Amino acid sequence: MALWMEAGSEPMTENEKADLEAISALKESAAIEFKEQGNECVRKGKKHYSEAIENYTKAINQGVLSNSETSILFSNRAHVNLLLGNYRRALTDAEEAIRLCPDNVKAVYRAAKASMALDLLSEAMSYCEKGIKNDPSNEDMKKLLKVVTLKKQEKEEHEAQVSRAVVEAKACLSAFENRGVKVGKAMYRELTGLKKPVLDQNNILHWPVLLLYAEAMTSDFVEDFCETDMFSTHLDMMFSDDSPPLPWDKNHDYTREGIELYYEASSGTPLSRSRVLQYLLEGTKGSQAETTGDEDTSSTKTPYNLKGGKGSSGMVKVNERRTLHDVLKEPNLVIPEIPVFYIVSKRSRFYKEFVAGKWSPPS
């Protein structure tokens, strides 16, 4: 009997041929039945989708249907996988359906939808264009092509924004390194929010600068302090004759002639290169970008060696005729994300306590 024939052998007798034809007819009938059961399960709804996949799989495994009929089975199974969110399986089934029958427009459509769900937008666009070529009047395919095209444009624009953000952050980081500027952890974000320096086209850094009145722990904020500006320029504007007195300065101690400016030396540990880059990317489109190649070659575990003299720790007086650039590259200054300077008045009772080192910023 044909049932006992060895695999690959040819039927020799008429009876064997008849047996094989009967077996093939039974398998074909079973495949069609499984297909119909699968279709019925799809019509019943989501609870029966897994059963639909099983039936389509059984129909495929009969291995007796023509390429075009088998293509329909793979396409149907791709459809159910799409409904279940199994996009990779859906794409694999749709691709097999297309291989078996390149003119299967439904399979092409499902391949496009699965590719779009997997963010394979170039492939999705290619499938849509193929489908429209095979069926120019297919409105669903045309609508899908518009959606894919828009998503592709949005993705490309997002990638361009990420790229620009990373390039700008790396340029800023290089500017820090070229100037010998050291950046540490933020101290007063609750006052300023997330603020970052900007490197302009002339390779000049523009810093946001926080000015704290140590006596009252109130603050002023300079949004754009160019690194080439002298401190005196900004202080002249802040304490001009036309400026109103500070509301808490009852004795009018804080005048242009009365104030001095300080920074805190040795106030923190410089962040590693990768951490500084992470800070510069924070709040931008590049915040989730993979910045490979920017790992630290020598991770900074402890504070930089600080030069003695001029107050290697504690408060250091700033010469107002110096530029921001000159002060920020001081070896004992670690910038807490953005520069912070303390304003005190020589006329205030608080002054003696401050210069004697008896006052320190709240932790």
Side-chain angles (χ1 to χ4, degrees), residues 172-208:
C172 204
L173 177 61
S174 295
F176 292 173
E177 293 172 337
N178 292 338
R179 290 159 173 76
V181 168
K182 300 171 288 297
V183 177
K185 291 182 180 180
M187 287 180 62
Y188 297 108
R189 253 205 206 187
E190 69 278 7
L191 296 178
T192 64
L194 175 61
K195 300 291 183 180
K196 292 176 286 186
V198 175
L199 186 69
D200 70 19
Q201 294 179 347
N202 296 317
N203 198 38
I204 294 174
L205 282 168
H206 297 255
W207 288 90

Side-chain angles (χ1 to χ4, degrees), residues 53 63 197 218 260 262 306 315:
I53 288 176
T218 60
E260 291 181 348
Y262 291 79
L306 303 176
M315 293 296 172

Side-chain angles (χ1 to χ4, degrees), residues 5 9 38 58 86 143 165 200 206 318-319 345:
M5 291 177 61
S9 60
K58 289 177 181 178
N86 300 329
K143 289 178 183 178
D200 70 19
H206 297 255
V318 175
N319 182 341
S345 172

Side-chain angles (χ1 to χ4, degrees), residues 23-52:
I23 292 169
S24 180
L26 287 172
K27 285 189 172 184
E28 183 175 351
S29 177
I32 293 171
E33 179 64 24
F34 284 133
K35 175 187 173 183
E36 291 303 321
Q37 289 176 8
N39 292 345
E40 181 61 28
C41 288
V42 174
R43 285 191 288 268
K44 287 180 179 179
K46 188 172 183 178
K47 290 183 179 180
H48 300 273
Y49 287 168
S50 295
E51 188 180 349

Side-chain angles (χ1 to χ4, degrees), residues 190-355:
E190 69 278 7
L191 296 178
T192 64
L194 175 61
K195 300 291 183 180
K196 292 176 286 186
V198 175
L199 186 69
D200 70 19
Q201 294 179 347
N202 296 317
N203 198 38
I204 294 174
L205 282 168
H206 297 255
W207 288 90
V209 173
L210 182 64
L211 300 171
L212 281 173
Y213 299 96
E215 183 172 354
M217 279 310 289
T218 60
S219 64
D220 274 321
F221 186 70
V222 181
E223 191 78 35
D224 183 353
F225 198 132
C226 181
E227 66 176 341
T228 58
D229 289 349
M230 291 189 298
F231 286 88
S232 59
T233 302
H234 290 273
L235 293 175
D236 287 345
M237 289 188 291
M238 291 171 59
F239 292 91
S240 67
D241 293 337
D242 298 332
S243 300
L246 297 169
W248 49 267
D249 181 23
K250 304 302 181 183
N251 297 323
H252 302 291
D253 294 329
Y254 284 75
T255 62
R256 182 67 187 91
E257 296 77 20
I259 61 168
E260 291 181 348
L261 198 66
Y262 291 79
Y263 69 82
E264 186 181 13
S266 308
S267 60
T269 302
L271 296 175
S272 64
R273 190 175 196 274
S274 60
R275 288 286 303 280
V276 175
L277 184 59
Q278 183 182 356
Y279 151 62
L280 292 171
L281 287 170
E282 188 177 349
T284 73
K285 294 289 186 181
S287 59
Q288 302 300 319
E290 293 290 336
T291 52
T292 54
D294 290 287
E295 294 79 7
D296 302 299
T297 54
S298 59
S299 179
T300 306
K301 300 294 185 183
T302 56
Y304 290 13
N305 290 327
L306 303 176
K307 294 180 181 178
K310 230 179 171 183
S312 60
S313 62
M315 293 296 172
V316 179
K317 185 178 177 181
V318 175
N319 182 341
E320 296 174 8
R321 305 299 297 176
R322 297 181 76 194
T323 65
L324 179 63
H325 166 269
D326 290 336
V327 173
L328 293 185
K329 67 180 184 180
E330 285 290 345
N332 62 358
L333 175 56
V334 178
I335 303 167
E337 280 196 357
I338 64 171
V340 177
F341 295 95
Y342 299 89
I343 299 176
V344 293
S345 172
K346 294 178 290 185
R347 301 170 180 172
S348 169
R349 293 180 180 178
F350 173 75
Y351 181 72
K352 289 184 179 180
E353 177 186 345
F354 183 85
V355 296

